[in-house]
Amino acid sequence: MEERDLKIIEQYGETDPELKTLWEEHMLFERQLAKFEGKVYLTPAEEQEMKTLKKQKLDGKTKLAAALDKYKK
């Protein structure tokens, strides 16, 4: 995330529940993916879960970007 986006989240996160929720979900996906990326070998089930998490993270990031856009204008 860009510095500007992080400042917006910090400033408006407490008063905008949607923004706060999207940011918390984004950070949760980051932590979950970091666990997989730290492994040397992934089972097929873990690989599938990682792909699913990446798709969910991307979808959430798109929604987060849209939520941030209303504060950038």
Side-chain angles (χ1 to χ4, degrees):
M1 304 263 10
E2 291 182 19
E3 180 88 19
R4 180 179 181 206
D5 294 341
L6 295 174
K7 286 182 181 182
I8 292 171
I9 292 167
E10 185 178 312
Q11 184 177 0
Y12 297 104
E14 293 302 317
T15 57
D16 186 337
E18 178 190 20
L19 183 63
K20 182 177 181 179
T21 300
L22 290 169
W23 177 247
E24 288 172 351
E25 287 175 356
H26 177 78
M27 295 308 297
L28 176 63
F29 291 136
E30 285 280 323
R31 288 190 297 274
Q32 290 174 329
L33 286 169
K35 289 178 186 177
F36 287 119
E37 291 167 354
K39 291 186 173 188
V40 176
Y41 174 78
L42 296 176
T43 65
E46 289 173 328
E47 285 181 16
Q48 184 60 43
E49 186 175 350
M50 189 169 157
K51 286 179 186 178
T52 302
L53 286 170
K54 284 183 176 183
K55 288 178 184 178
Q56 290 173 328
K57 181 183 170 196
L58 182 60
D59 182 49
K61 193 168 184 178
T62 302
K63 291 176 184 175
L64 182 58
L68 287 169
D69 281 347
K70 66 183 172 184
Y71 293 106
K72 291 180 181 177
K73 294 179 181 181

